Amino acid sequence: MKLELALPVLGLLLCVADTVAQEKSITVVISKTKVTLTCPFEGSVKWKKGETIKSEAQTYEIEKYESSENDGEYTCEASDESVKLHLKAKVCESCEELDVLTVAGVIIADLLITLGVLILVYYFSKNRKGRVGGSAGVHPRGQKMVRPPPVPNPDYEPIRKGQREVYAGLQSRGF
């Protein structure tokens, strides 16, 4: 009975703890060589890197991001709150951004093309099985292989009582 009461209470406590534990975080957007940091606080905002004040706007943009100069810890401060972010990003100038629909379209098109090639190979190989031609893979129609003797082969008959002397000289060896 106590366990039935404890589980809903535990679930309620976890939900309350989760909403209290969620803190605001800095949003980072990277596009080619431009990095944009957005502070979650409203009002008067200061961006600091170390102790140096970089900007006093809600968003801080780094136009030409370079790892050696711009990597580090950024702080977004409002009146009585602050959030820190350690930024280490990789950017490239020649990168292209693709949306989800473009990537999904490329994957689906690739699957359809592969399926089409598979169907074509199956169709042409199915029709080729019955044909006999002069191609390199077909054996020439010449002399057929010698067939083995019929099943009751006299070479493999069991030894009869009168024939034991032929095999009498053979002795088994221990291996």
Side-chain angles (χ1 to χ4, degrees), residues 150-169:
V151 177
N153 188 342
D155 294 337
Y156 300 108
E157 286 183 15
I159 300 173
R160 296 189 185 112
K161 290 186 179 183
Q163 296 176 339
R164 290 201 183 269
E165 67 274 351
V166 177
Y167 304 103

Side-chain angles (χ1 to χ4, degrees), residues 4-55:
E4 293 174 2
L5 181 63
L7 289 176
V9 171
L10 182 62
L12 182 63
L13 285 174
L14 285 173
C15 289
V16 170
D18 185 43
T19 55
V20 171
Q22 285 180 357
E23 58 182 57
K24 296 183 178 185
S25 60
I26 298 172
T27 306
V28 180
V29 177
I30 300 172
S31 177
K32 294 195 179 193
T33 60
K34 180 179 175 183
V35 176
T36 305
L37 306 175
T38 305
C39 187
F41 306 124
E42 298 292 328
S44 177
V45 174
K46 289 183 184 177
W47 283 98
K48 291 184 179 180
K49 181 182 177 204
E51 296 298 320
T52 310
I53 296 176
K54 293 289 189 178
S55 173

Side-chain angles (χ1 to χ4, degrees), residues 44-115:
S44 177
V45 174
K46 289 183 184 177
W47 283 98
K48 291 184 179 180
K49 181 182 177 204
E51 296 298 320
T52 310
I53 296 176
K54 293 289 189 178
S55 173
E56 295 193 8
Q58 180 138 15
T59 60
Y60 176 57
E61 293 181 355
I62 305 168
E63 289 295 327
K64 299 230 179 218
Y65 185 90
E66 291 183 21
S67 295
S68 58
E69 296 175 15
N70 302 116
D71 282 352
E73 190 166 289
Y74 288 83
T75 307
C76 168
E77 294 181 348
S79 56
D80 60 345
E81 298 176 298
S82 69
V83 176
K84 290 185 178 183
L85 168 75
H86 183 80
L87 183 64
K88 184 171 183 160
K90 294 202 184 251
V91 297
C92 82
E93 199 168 317
S94 62
C95 295
E96 290 295 325
E97 295 178 24
L98 298 175
D99 59 341
V100 176
L101 290 176
T102 305
V103 173
V106 168
I107 291 172
I108 290 171
D110 181 39
L111 288 173
L112 290 175
I113 290 171
T114 304
L115 183 66

Side-chain angles (χ1 to χ4, degrees), residues 128-166:
R128 221 161 170 53
K129 286 180 185 176
R131 296 184 191 165
V132 176
S135 66
V138 177
H139 297 290
R141 289 185 162 223
Q143 191 176 20
K144 295 198 177 207
M145 292 185 60
V146 178
R147 290 188 179 171
V151 177
N153 188 342
D155 294 337
Y156 300 108
E157 286 183 15
I159 300 173
R160 296 189 185 112
K161 290 186 179 183
Q163 296 176 339
R164 290 201 183 269
E165 67 274 351
V166 177

